[in-house]
Amino acid sequence: MKHLKVDPIKEGTVIDHIPANRGLQVLSIIKPDNKAVVTMGINFSSKKYGRKDILKIEDRELTASEVNSIALVAPNANVIIIRNFEVVSKTAVQIPDIIKNSARCGNPKCVTNAEESSTRFTTVSRSPVRLRCDYCERTFHIDELKVR
Amino acid sequence: MKHLKVDPIKEGTVIDHIPANRGLQVLSIIKPDNKAVVTMGINFSSKKYGRKDILKIEDRELTASEVNSIALVAPNANVIIIRNFEVVSKTAVQIPDIIKNSARCGNPKCVTNAEESSTRFTTVSRSPVRLRCDYCERTFHIDELKVR
């Protein structure tokens, strides 16, 4: 690609290197309000990964909890914060050892589903992403969990 | 805006002037396959409408049935076909008088829902979009119908 497919933004957040076709899932984690200016690219060229998705949200920075949820579905993503057209930080997301409330347990009989209560997982592996529910002790591939 | 937020594409379709926050709904009508290169803008500036969504799908032209479904959720949209970076056609979508199979009836007791059969609506008004089911004869605002 000779040039970027999506123009720079003045203020906001860019989430780059989302795995191809995971952009919509990341968008649903961020839940932009209905005034938010968002640009999403799906299946864009990536030197590093072949294909990638990318998301830009103007005038918005993410919470730590949102970044943790994004890490689960896009473990190689970078979160880039832009102020006045300048990159002020670029951080690789990281799956923490303990994940609180970012995902629902995939076991319908787990107590955390019965009570719609808080959840807690321990990271078993990061590539592929596999998490163990601290309540029912079952281990799941990330695609078996609903990330929120 | 001094320049476009999203770059031109070589071959494909641009759907412009989608009402703000309806882009995801249009995307779900088009159902791009998982190799499709898609760019979506949400809440972009529009001289005509204040805010708009925009969708670009590379290497894809739409079927008449897809265009009819898009018209229901984005009645002022333009469908622009691009070949070799040139606009070869620009068409305002239009809600036809009779709409076949683009939407499910909003009446759970309608025979078309019981049998998952084909559907048929008559356009009652275009602004706002209101359609009458030819089977159960109930009239619905477009937001009460599931467009597919």
Side-chain angles (χ1 to χ4, degrees):
Chain A
M1 275 198 312
K2 259 188 279 182
H3 46 198
L4 285 171
K5 268 179 200 289
V6 178
D7 270 7
I9 56 176
K10 191 180 174 204
E11 312 273 342
T13 301
V14 177
I15 306 161
D16 199 6
H17 296 303
I18 300 166
N21 294 298
R22 289 273 175 100
L24 282 170
Q25 212 177 339
V26 174
L27 190 65
S28 78
I29 290 167
I30 299 170
K31 296 182 194 67
D33 67 43
N34 67 7
K35 304 280 179 208
V37 180
V38 176
T39 311
M40 181 165 61
I42 301 173
N43 275 308
F44 278 18
S45 295
S46 158
K47 273 186 201 159
K48 220 167 165 180
Y49 302 105
R51 294 281 160 188
K52 67 174 182 182
D53 287 4
I54 183 168
L55 259 174
K56 304 195 175 196
I57 309 107
E58 296 188 19
D59 302 316
R60 167 86 182 267
E61 295 185 12
L62 303 178
T63 64
S65 140
E66 287 168 332
V67 173
N68 281 344
S69 295
I70 292 167
L72 296 177
V73 299
N76 300 314
N78 286 321
V79 175
I80 300 154
I81 297 174
I82 314 277
R83 291 189 195 133
N84 202 21
F85 293 112
E86 302 274 346
V87 171
V88 297
S89 75
K90 186 171 174 173
T91 322
V93 300
Q94 218 179 347
I95 300 175
D97 295 334
I98 301 292
I99 294 136
K100 287 182 184 168
N101 300 323
S102 290
R104 294 226 60 84
C105 182
N107 171 10
K109 290 185 179 168
C110 178
V111 64
T112 62
N113 282 317
E115 298 178 2
E116 283 282 338
S117 61
S118 55
T119 62
R120 193 185 139 112
F121 293 85
T122 300
T123 300
V124 174
S125 85
R126 288 183 167 80
S127 178
V129 180
R130 294 176 69 241
L131 308 180
R132 189 181 65 239
C133 174
D134 288 355
Y135 291 86
C136 72
E137 298 188 331
R138 268 174 63 174
T139 297
F140 298 91
H141 184 278
I142 188 62
D143 289 342
E144 299 175 288
L145 300 176
K146 188 166 162 43
V147 178
R148 57 185 176 185
Chain B
M1 275 199 311
K2 261 188 279 178
H3 46 200
L4 284 172
K5 270 180 199 287
V6 179
D7 270 6
I9 56 178
K10 190 181 177 202
E11 312 274 341
T13 301
V14 178
I15 306 162
D16 198 5
H17 295 303
I18 300 166
N21 295 298
R22 288 274 174 98
L24 282 170
Q25 212 176 341
V26 174
L27 190 65
S28 78
I29 290 167
I30 298 170
K31 296 181 194 70
D33 67 45
N34 65 8
K35 303 280 179 209
V37 180
V38 175
T39 311
M40 181 165 60
I42 301 173
N43 276 307
F44 278 18
S45 295
S46 158
K47 273 187 202 159
K48 222 167 163 180
Y49 302 105
R51 293 282 159 188
K52 67 174 182 181
D53 287 5
I54 184 167
L55 259 173
K56 305 196 174 197
I57 309 106
E58 296 188 19
D59 303 316
R60 166 88 182 268
E61 294 185 12
L62 303 177
T63 65
S65 140
E66 287 169 329
V67 173
N68 281 344
S69 295
I70 292 167
L72 296 176
V73 299
N76 300 314
N78 286 319
V79 175
I80 300 155
I81 297 174
I82 314 277
R83 291 190 195 132
N84 203 21
F85 293 111
E86 302 274 346
V87 171
V88 297
S89 76
K90 184 171 173 171
T91 322
V93 300
Q94 219 178 348
I95 299 175
D97 295 334
I98 301 292
I99 295 135
K100 288 182 185 167
N101 301 323
S102 290
R104 295 225 60 83
C105 182
N107 172 9
K109 292 186 177 167
C110 177
V111 64
T112 61
N113 282 317
E115 298 177 2
E116 282 283 337
S117 61
S118 56
T119 62
R120 191 184 141 112
F121 293 85
T122 300
T123 300
V124 174
S125 84
R126 288 182 166 81
S127 178
V129 180
R130 293 175 71 240
L131 310 178
R132 190 181 64 239
C133 173
D134 287 356
Y135 290 86
C136 71
E137 299 189 331
R138 269 175 62 175
T139 297
F140 298 91
H141 185 277
I142 188 63
D143 289 341
E144 300 175 289
L145 301 176
K146 187 165 163 42
V147 178
R148 57 185 177 187

